[in-house]
Amino acid sequence: MGRRSGLQTYGAGRTMRKARGEAAELNRSSSFEADALALLDSLYRTALRLTHRPADAEDLVQETYLKAFRSADRFEPGTNLRAWLFTILHNTARNRVRDQARDAVTVDSEAVERAEISSAAPADSPEALLLRDTLAPDLQAAIDALPEAFRQALWLRDVEEFSYAEIAAMLSIPVGTVMSRISRGRRLLFERLQHLRPAHV
């Protein structure tokens, strides 16, 4: 009787430990989802900077979250979730550009221009309007005129406030290259916005 009772207790204990482990995993999963979804706006802003089109930015963010949730078991709790998601976002954007370049087709540019002139201008999304209103038009134009590599690094550092190391990991480049791109990007911005400074009287 004592032996059977001991086996029953052992079995019940093992079942309880398994149930606790599953509950802890469920809590970790829901915490991961909540923390990841809290970064939606920040990811969307960066996706919009990368794609320049609200619909493409939404698709990019959606694909980023899909990949993140599928790989949630590979994320190590206690590490930087924000940097992890931005890395997925940038890698996905880079892959899309590469795939689009592969699928490039020739287009009659005159026909496109005629169609563009004849069609009504689509309404901007609220997010695009907010970004446009937030950044002064001259600053927005200067940022948009930067080469893509400088614009990406500058945006991640000065707007999203990532560290140089995090940006290097996201863009898969050395930290020194990140620092150089940010420095050169800032210098180009300064030169392009120099005309806005008031003249000394």
Side-chain angles (χ1 to χ4, degrees):
M1 185 81 155
R3 179 173 168 85
R4 184 175 178 176
S5 169
L7 288 176
Q8 288 174 342
T9 304
Y10 173 75
R14 194 171 76 194
T15 303
M16 289 299 291
R17 281 192 300 277
K18 183 178 178 186
R20 279 191 217 119
E22 288 173 359
E25 183 63 32
L26 183 61
N27 285 340
R28 192 175 82 122
S29 176
S30 62
S31 174
F32 173 83
E33 286 180 27
D35 292 346
L37 290 174
L39 299 169
L40 179 66
D41 292 339
S42 185
L43 285 167
Y44 178 78
R45 281 192 309 268
T46 300
L48 190 58
R49 299 293 314 158
L50 292 170
T51 62
H52 304 289
R53 294 185 48 208
D56 290 343
E58 290 170 5
D59 289 345
L60 180 57
V61 169
Q62 183 176 8
E63 189 173 346
T64 298
Y65 275 110
L66 182 64
K67 288 179 178 181
F69 289 142
R70 283 183 179 164
S71 303
D73 60 323
R74 287 190 243 150
F75 175 73
E76 295 181 30
T79 59
N80 190 342
L81 176 63
R82 188 169 183 257
W84 189 70
L85 288 170
F86 271 80
T87 300
I88 294 171
L89 178 87
H90 278 276
N91 288 341
T92 303
R94 190 177 307 124
N95 291 344
R96 283 179 164 209
V97 168
R98 186 187 61 231
D99 293 345
Q100 288 170 354
R102 239 185 261 147
D103 298 336
V105 290
T106 57
V107 177
D108 180 5
S109 60
E110 291 179 5
V112 171
E113 287 177 20
R114 284 193 304 271
E116 186 176 313
I117 292 170
S118 66
S119 68
D124 284 332
S125 71
E127 293 86 0
L129 293 171
L130 176 65
L131 278 174
R132 190 176 311 122
D133 291 344
T134 303
L135 297 175
D138 290 326
L139 178 58
Q140 181 70 47
I143 290 172
D144 290 342
L146 288 174
E148 180 67 22
F150 298 157
R151 185 171 56 237
Q152 269 186 344
L154 197 60
W155 182 266
L156 290 171
R157 178 69 184 144
D158 293 342
V159 177
E160 297 298 337
E161 299 179 345
F162 282 107
S163 70
Y164 294 120
E166 290 169 332
I167 297 169
M170 282 179 224
L171 301 179
S172 302
I173 56 176
V175 173
T177 303
V178 169
M179 295 169 74
S180 172
R181 287 180 182 180
I182 291 170
S183 175
R184 291 173 68 192
R186 287 176 180 161
R187 191 174 328 114
L188 285 171
L189 267 181
F190 178 79
E191 290 169 3
R192 291 193 171 119
L193 297 173
Q194 189 66 25
H195 71 280
L196 297 176
R197 294 182 64 176
H200 294 290
V201 179

